[in-house]
Amino acid sequence: MLRFLDAIPYPLLIIAAVLMLLAPFTPMPHVLEKLIMLKEGTLRKPIDIFDLFFHLFPTILVVLKLIRDRAK
């Protein structure tokens, strides 16, 4: 199921994860903004929830790849 992760090199995934975590660079990264909204209980709009997962997706792929590689 997750064999496509084996084909993606770590450097590419890490660069994508860092860029997506920090985008947009000003005034505040979306991930930080959405996590603050989650903490305050104001993360309710579907577009905000999608935006959080969109920006976290490369990081989730890095974690899945690390778990998959450790299991081998």
Side-chain angles (χ1 to χ4, degrees):
M1 181 172 104
L2 296 175
R3 284 188 228 153
F4 72 93
L5 276 177
D6 296 336
I8 304 172
Y10 273 107
L12 182 65
L13 271 179
I14 292 170
I15 290 170
V18 169
L19 287 176
M20 288 299 286
L21 285 173
L22 296 176
F25 300 105
T26 57
M28 179 188 301
H30 279 311
V31 171
L32 182 59
E33 180 183 356
K34 301 305 178 194
L35 289 175
I36 291 170
M37 289 174 67
L38 183 64
K39 179 183 153 221
E40 294 173 348
T42 59
L43 187 71
R44 295 192 178 142
K45 293 181 186 175
I47 190 70
D48 291 333
I49 296 167
F50 170 78
D51 197 34
L52 176 63
F53 284 112
F54 176 73
H55 283 274
L56 287 176
F57 187 70
T59 305
I60 293 168
L61 288 179
V62 170
V63 170
L64 287 174
K65 185 170 175 83
L66 285 170
I67 292 170
R68 185 168 167 83
D69 286 349
R70 283 202 155 262
K72 287 183 182 179

